Structures are given as structure tokens and as C-alpha cells.
């Protein structure tokens, strides 16, 4: 076979591999019990070589999951070497330091066999509704309070379920049926990927993935290094602030662009928290790498090789380098600000390729009700649910930001009907929030207004995990800030609630959320007046804001 024909065949095989892992992810979505997976797509799926290096990831999934899962397969292999694995084996953990950052994420690794020989590994991660403990929220003072801690163990041994494991799993959760069902779903999706991989290997008469892996890694690394060499070398610094829990949190980064790598040093970042907003280092690397890659090499496939030039120096004692057993349940509240921080650095090097700051961290209220909140006075059945929602994204250099869209996590907004179908809650309002977008030549995306109650306006509770309230998203190049978020009750006084922590919504009241908007890009006075008038006509910008922010009379 000629070299040119071989390259064409490798490209075809690469495309097939993407189809394999996407079917892997879609199988999970179709079979999952948790609404977080089947409705929001809060998951990752990928294929790895026998050294634990990620070859390809599914299109469906989140950077926080897939980029930290990329590290986790190596931990599985350290405990269960590839040569000891058998067909039908499935391995699982939710260890935040060996998986994807908190106990609510289950990671499953499964070997794929062809003709009795192991040829690859499939891995996936999914966010589940409940893992026991205090529930998803920042209140824990150690990881041991945050839920059931699963070390790397076999959940299936040669196709047979580990009944002892499943006994512990069911006993440790408020939603045992959903949790057990999700584990079966994760194993099924890896099996689907393994079957498709074997079909692909048979079709191309391949005994090993190694030649294809070498092609993928060499091509991806070379392309990434080529993009890095286009950047002006130097050190660029940025800072961003989070609302924090006990006190505000400052994230600092010094990004050094060299000829063949980009190194980020987080010296100066705030220290560890006593509550669950701490970030395990793998999760820090996951979102920081994603933020860099979005700007530097967005078209290059995401795999072990293309991420390897992005290196992190995270000081010990820093909130981005939480050690065991620090609480980490809502590590996303801080971790999802990292792409904005990376873009703050890169804006100094390639300003035309960077967005303004957005709402960034998801607004995903965990809701709980029934006897576990109200005791014998409960008026609704026990429930535990979480719903994913987002504010606006930051303005882009040539386009407005996106409204109510999750960036950087990439999860879908959950339909209210799906949540109302599985829990006794009612979403009385879910609409775009006028005047929440940061003004600019291109404006930010709009946040949302949400009003949530229990059926019959019964008492229920929220475990608040919100940010961007005291520190709204900033604009760039003269663009305005996005509107700050707000959390409170729907009463006449507009009673505010804490942005983080477990709080009871009293009978007769509802939870009111005002999600932040994205920052603007450029001088608002340079915005096309026709676009301003369009937003006023659509009810997104008030006439007063049009006049005061843009100088446009409507």
C-alpha cells in the first residue's frame, strides 16, 4: 500500500473511531436513569490504548469530565493491569482524585477484546443524582461527609455483577434505583463501544490499535505545536474573582507561551476552603486546558497528544490543588471559571480570538423535599433532584454572546417538563432576563429568570451552589459587565438567600433565581443601532438601557 493510500485509510479509520465513541455516548444517554445524563448530557465517553492514553472522545460530553477522565484510566491500570483484565470485566470509581473531581461522578472502565486478546479500553463518566451523604452542595467539611466513596473496584467480574458492591451502592443513596440503573447504563455504553470497535478492527483486518494510535498522536501533536508556534512568545497574566464561600476567592494565572509548550502558573491564587468549593488538580487541568485549546487549537482533535503541550504548575495549598480529604462536592463553581481566566491571559496575545467573560459556572440548583426536609409535616413525597441551567456567555469578537447556554461545560439546559415529571416541583417561570447582557460592540448573552416551587407551594429546600453574584462577568476592550446573579424568595420584599449552602424555602414561597448575563466586547457606542433597536423590539433591552448604554433612541 502506498504512503498516500495508507494516510487516507488512517483518516477513514479515525472517522470510524469517532463514530464508535459517539455511539458509546448515545447508548448511555438512551439508557441512563438520571435526568442529568439523559436530558443534560453531563457525561463523557472515550477510547484509550493499553497505556491509558486517550485516542478519541465522543462529541457529546463536557470538558471537565473528558479531560479529567483522560488522567483517570491510568489510575485504573495501576490497580488492575491490562494483562489481568478479562472479557466482561467492568471497573468503577467515584474517587475525586482518581476520577473527575467529585463523588457525584461515576467513572467506568471496560476492556475490549478481539479473538481473545485485549485491544483497547473504553471509559466513561456520568454525573448521577445522589450518592448519599449531605447531597450535592458545599456544606461538607471533608469528602467523607459528601457521600459514598467508591475506590477503584470491579462492579462486574467476567459479566457477573458484584452483588456486594451493589448492596453497598443501594444502601448508600436516597435514589437507589436510579443509581444502580446508571451503573448498568455506564457498563452498557462501554460494551456498545467495544462491539463497534471489534467490528471496525475486523473490517480493516487490524490486530491492534497501536498503528492508528501512533497516527492520531503524531498528527495531533504536530498540529498543536504548529499552532503554538504562531503565538507571540512571552508571559501573560490575568486574575478573576469568585464569590467563594467563607470569603471571596481570587484566581491568578501567569501563562508563559514557549516554542513547544504553554505553561500556566497559578501562584497567588487563594488558599483552600473549609467547604466543598475546592478543586482537585485534575479538574483544574481539565478546564484550564479546555480554555487554552478553544483559543489556540480549536480544530485539532482532543486527545492525549494534543493536550500534552499544555502544562500546569498548581501550588500546594491552593484552592485549585485540593488534597484528600478536603471537600470538593461543588468544585465546578470555581473550576468552570478557569477558561475565562485562560482567555484573560490569551487576550493579551491574540485578542481577536478571545471571548468576554461569561456566567461560566452552571446554575444547577439541587432541590430536596418531603420528610427529609419537613419531617412529619411534609406535604409532598421525598424527592432529590437537580436541574441544569445557565446564564449568558461572553460576547465574541465578531458575534454576540449566547443566551442561557452552558459554556464552558457544554451541558444542555434541562427541559422543565423532564424535571417536573420525576419530582413534585413546578417551574412557574423560565424566561430570558432583560437588560442582563453586558453592553458592547458585540453584547453578551442574556441570563434567565427562574421561579421554582414545590407542588401546592409546599416547603422544600435548595442546596445553593451559585456564583457570579458578587463578581459579575467582565467585558473586554471597553465592553460592559454582564448583570450579576441573584438568589432569593419570590416575596414582596425580595428576600435574598445565601448563594451557597442548604436553605429551606418556606411553605407558600418559591425560589427565585436571576442568572447572570455575559460581558460585552468593545465600545457600546460602536454597536450597530439597528441591532440595538432589534433587541428593544424583542423585549431584551429596555428603551432606557438603549439610550444610556448605546446612545440609541427608540
Amino acid at each position: 500500500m502506498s504512503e498516500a493510500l495508507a494516510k487516507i485509510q488512517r483518516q477513514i479509520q479515525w472517522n470510524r473511531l469517532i463514530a464508535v465513541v459517539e455511539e458509546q455516548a448515545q447508548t448511555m444517554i438512551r439508557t441512563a436513569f438520571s435526568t442529568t445524563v439523559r436530558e443534560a448530557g453531563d457525561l463523557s465517553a472515550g477510547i484509550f490504548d493499553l497505556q491509558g492514553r486517550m485516542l478519541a472522545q465522543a462529541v457529546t460530553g463536557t470538558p471537565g469530565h473528558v479531560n479529567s477522565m483522560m488522567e483517570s484510566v491510568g489510575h485504573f491500570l495501576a490497580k488492575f493491569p491490562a494483562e489481568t483484565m478479562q472479557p466482561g470485566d467492568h471497573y468503577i470509581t467515584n474517587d475525586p482524585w482518581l476520577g473527575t473531581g467529585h463523588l457525584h461522578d461515576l467513572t467506568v472502565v471496560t476492556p475490549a477484546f478481539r479473538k481473545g486478546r485485549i485491544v483497547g479500553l473504553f471509559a466513561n463518566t456520568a454525573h448521577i443524582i445522589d450518592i448519599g451523604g449531605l447531597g450535592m452542595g458545599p456544606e461538607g467539611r471533608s469528602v467523607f461527609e459528601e457521600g459514598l466513596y467508591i475506590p477503584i473496584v470491579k462492579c462486574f467480574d467476567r459479566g457477573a455483577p458484584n452483588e456486594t458492591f451493589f448492596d453497598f451502592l443501594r444502601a448508600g443513596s436516597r435514589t437507589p434505583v436510579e443509581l444502580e440503573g446508571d451503573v448498568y447504563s455506564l457498563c452498557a455504553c462501554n460494551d456498545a463501544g467495544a462491539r463497534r470497535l471489534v467490528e471496525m478492527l475486523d473490517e480493516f483486518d487490524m490486530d491492534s490499535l497501536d498503528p492508528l494510535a501512533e497516527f492520531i498522536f503524531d498528527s495531533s501533536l504536530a498540529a498543536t505545536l504548529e499552532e503554538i508556534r504562531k503565538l507571540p512568545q512571552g508571559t501573560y497574566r490575568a486574575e478573576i474573582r469568585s464569590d467563594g464561600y467563607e470569603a471571596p476567592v481570587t484566581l491568578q494565572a501567569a501563562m508563559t507561551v514557549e516554542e513547544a509548550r504553554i505553561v500556566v502558573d497559578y501562584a497567588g491564587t487563594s488558599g483552600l476552603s473549609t467547604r466543598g468549593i475546592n478543586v482537585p488538580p485534575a479538574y483544574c487541568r481539565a478546564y484550564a486546558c479546555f480554555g487554552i485549546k478553544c483559543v489556540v487549537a480549536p480544530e485539532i482533535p482532543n486527545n492525549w497528544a494534543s493536550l500534552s503541550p499544555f502544562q500546569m504548575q498548581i501550588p500546594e495549598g491552593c484552592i485549585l490543588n485540593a488534597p484528600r480529604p478536603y471537600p470538593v462536592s461543588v468544585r465546578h463553581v470555581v473550576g468552570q471559571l478557569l477558561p475565562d481566566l485562560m482567555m484573560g491571559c490569551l487576550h493579551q496575545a491574540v485578542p481577536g480570538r478571545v471571548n468576554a467573560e461569561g456566567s461560566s459556572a452552571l446554575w444547577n440548583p439541587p432541590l430536596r423535599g418531603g420528610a427529609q426536609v419537613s419531617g412529619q409535616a411534609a406535604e409532598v413525597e421525598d424527592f432529590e433532584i437537580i436541574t441544569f441551567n445557565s446564564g449568558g456567555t461572553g460576547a465574541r469578537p465578531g458575534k454576540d454572546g449566547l443566551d442561557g447556554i452552558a459554556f464552558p461545560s457544554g451541558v444542555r439546559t434541562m427541559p422543565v417538563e423532564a424535571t417536573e415529571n420525576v419530582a413534585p416541583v413546578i417551574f412557574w417561570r423560565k424566561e430570558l432576563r432583560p437588560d442582563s447582557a453586558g453592553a458592547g460592540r458585540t453584547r453578551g448573552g442574556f441570563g434567565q429568570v427562574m421561579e421554582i416551587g414545590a407542588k401546592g407551594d409546599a416547603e422544600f429546600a435548595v442546596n445553593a451552589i451559585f456564583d457570579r453574584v458578587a463578581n459579575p462577568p467582565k467585558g473586554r476592550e471597553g465592553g460592559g459587565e454582564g448583570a450579576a446573579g441573584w438568589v432569593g424568595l419570590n416575596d414582596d420584599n425580595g428576600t435574598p438567600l445565601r448563594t451557597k449552602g442548604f436553605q429551606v424555602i418556606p411553605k407558600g414561597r418559591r425560589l427565585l433565581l436571576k442568572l447572570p448575563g455575559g460581558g460585552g466586547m468593545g465600545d457600546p457606542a460602536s454597536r450597530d443601532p439597528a441591532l440595538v433597536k432589534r433587541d428593544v423590539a424583542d423585549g431584551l433591552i429596555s428603551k432606557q438601557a438603549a439610550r444610556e448604554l448605546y446612545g440609541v433612541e427608540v
Side-chain angles (χ1 to χ4, degrees):
M1 185 184 296
S2 69
E3 183 178 350
L5 187 58
K7 286 184 177 179
I8 292 173
Q9 189 174 60
R10 290 285 182 246
Q11 187 63 44
I12 293 171
Q13 292 166 352
W14 160 252
N15 290 338
R16 284 289 300 277
L17 206 60
I18 291 296
V20 167
V21 292
E22 185 59 21
E23 182 169 343
Q24 177 194 4
Q26 291 301 322
T27 300
M28 189 198 307
I29 290 173
R30 291 195 300 270
T31 59
F33 280 57
S34 289
T35 51
T36 49
V37 179
R38 69 173 189 264
E39 302 293 344
D42 196 10
L43 59 94
S44 67
I47 184 171
F48 295 71
D49 69 7
L50 298 182
Q51 298 179 53
R53 300 178 299 181
M54 186 172 71
L55 280 73
Q57 66 159 95
V59 175
T60 303
T62 80
H65 281 149
V66 73
N67 286 355
S68 51
M69 181 184 74
M70 186 186 71
E71 297 186 27
S72 66
V73 175
H75 298 302
F76 280 80
L77 289 173
K79 184 169 183 180
F80 294 99
E83 60 270 18
T84 68
M85 295 180 174
Q86 299 292 326
D89 286 350
H90 294 276
Y91 306 86
I92 191 169
T93 190
N94 69 344
D95 185 320
W97 290 270
L98 304 182
T100 59
H102 69 171
L103 298 178
H104 279 77
D105 288 346
L106 302 181
T107 298
V108 171
V109 173
T110 304
F113 284 82
R114 178 177 181 266
K115 297 179 179 179
R117 179 172 172 268
I118 186 171
V119 291
L121 299 165
F122 283 87
N124 63 63
T125 299
H127 180 109
I128 49 91
I129 294 289
D130 183 73
I131 196 68
L134 292 173
M136 187 171 172
E139 302 285 28
R141 292 185 178 272
S142 81
V143 72
F144 302 115
E145 298 180 35
E146 293 181 329
L148 182 63
Y149 198 126
I150 305 168
I152 296 175
V153 296
K154 278 187 184 181
C155 54
F156 283 84
D157 187 353
R158 304 188 190 194
N162 180 342
E163 295 297 350
T164 302
F165 164 77
F166 281 105
D167 283 345
F168 275 104
L169 195 73
R170 288 186 292 263
S173 172
R174 300 173 184 86
T175 57
V177 173
E178 289 85 351
L179 181 55
E180 182 176 13
D182 282 331
V183 173
Y184 273 83
S185 170
L186 269 60
C187 296
C189 96
N190 280 357
D191 281 341
R195 285 194 300 271
R196 293 300 189 200
L197 175 65
V198 171
E199 291 176 8
M200 170 187 157
L201 296 177
D202 287 343
E203 180 180 336
F204 290 97
D205 194 24
M206 297 169 63
D207 293 325
S208 169
L209 275 174
D210 291 347
L212 180 56
E214 182 180 354
F215 166 76
I216 293 170
F217 292 151
D218 289 349
S219 302
S220 300
L221 179 58
T224 302
L225 293 178
E226 182 180 352
E227 294 301 320
I228 291 175
R229 283 191 287 269
K230 295 177 184 178
L231 302 174
Q233 294 186 22
T235 297
Y236 308 99
R237 302 178 186 276
E239 177 179 301
I240 198 167
R241 287 172 69 84
S242 159
D243 299 351
Y245 188 101
E246 316 96 313
V249 170
T250 299
L251 306 178
Q252 291 189 352
M255 179 184 294
T256 300
V257 178
E258 301 177 0
E259 183 178 0
R261 65 175 186 165
I262 295 176
V263 182
V264 182
D265 186 348
Y266 296 95
T269 291
S270 295
L272 293 159
S273 171
T274 62
R275 301 294 183 141
I277 62 172
N278 299 294
V279 182
Y283 195 80
C284 169
R285 287 188 286 266
Y287 268 112
C289 286
F290 175 71
I292 297 170
K293 200 170 186 309
C294 281
V295 176
V296 176
E299 302 300 326
I300 299 169
N302 195 64
N303 54 52
W304 169 80
S306 63
L307 293 175
S308 62
F310 308 142
Q311 299 170 13
M312 307 290 145
Q313 297 174 353
I314 319 173
E316 291 185 8
C318 158
I319 197 169
L320 300 175
N321 192 2
R324 280 190 188 85
Y326 270 79
V328 291
S329 179
V330 293
R331 83 290 192 239
H332 72 280
V333 170
V334 171
Q336 289 180 3
L337 299 177
L338 288 169
D340 278 343
L341 182 64
M342 298 301 100
M343 291 186 186
C345 295
L346 288 165
H347 182 259
Q348 301 161 51
V350 283
R353 293 157 63 176
V354 173
N355 297 347
E357 292 182 8
S359 57
S360 302
L362 287 168
W363 278 51
N364 46 345
L367 307 174
R368 182 183 300 175
Q372 55 186 333
V373 173
S374 308
Q376 291 182 321
E379 297 178 348
V380 293
E381 66 269 24
D382 286 359
F383 70 89
E384 184 89 14
I385 195 68
I386 186 170
T387 177
F388 286 9
N389 308 277
S390 305
T393 73
R396 295 165 285 181
K399 295 182 179 180
D400 293 339
L402 302 171
D403 309 329
I405 294 294
F407 179 84
S409 74
V411 299
R412 297 188 297 270
T413 293
M414 292 170 59
V416 298
E417 295 85 357
T419 305
E420 291 175 342
N421 188 51
V422 296
V425 295
I426 298 175
F427 288 76
W428 294 95
R429 294 171 65 192
K430 183 175 171 64
E431 58 195 38
L432 292 181
R433 181 185 176 190
D435 286 337
S436 60
R441 180 185 66 253
T442 55
R443 59 157 174 75
F446 290 93
Q448 301 182 61
V449 178
M450 299 177 63
E451 187 175 330
I452 310 169
K455 285 186 176 179
D457 277 338
E459 182 180 68
F460 70 106
V462 59
N463 214 348
I465 47 176
F466 310 119
D467 213 277
R468 294 293 207 187
V469 173
N471 296 276
K474 296 184 182 301
R476 302 196 198 279
E477 300 176 13
E481 290 185 345
W486 187 86
V487 184
L489 302 178
N490 71 326
D491 55 20
D492 294 337
N493 298 322
T495 303
L497 297 175
R498 290 181 290 121
T499 58
K500 294 181 178 69
F502 189 87
Q503 294 154 96
V504 174
I505 310 301
K507 179 178 171 59
R509 295 299 176 200
R510 300 169 188 161
L511 174 65
L512 184 61
L513 304 176
K514 299 179 182 180
L515 281 61
M521 179 76 75
D523 183 0
S526 63
R527 184 168 176 79
D528 184 347
L531 297 178
V532 178
K533 293 177 181 179
R534 179 201 65 186
D535 285 342
V536 172
D538 289 341
L540 298 173
I541 295 178
S542 64
K543 292 181 179 181
Q544 180 181 355
R547 180 173 60 254
E548 295 179 355
L549 298 177
Y550 294 99
V552 176
E553 290 287 349
V554 180

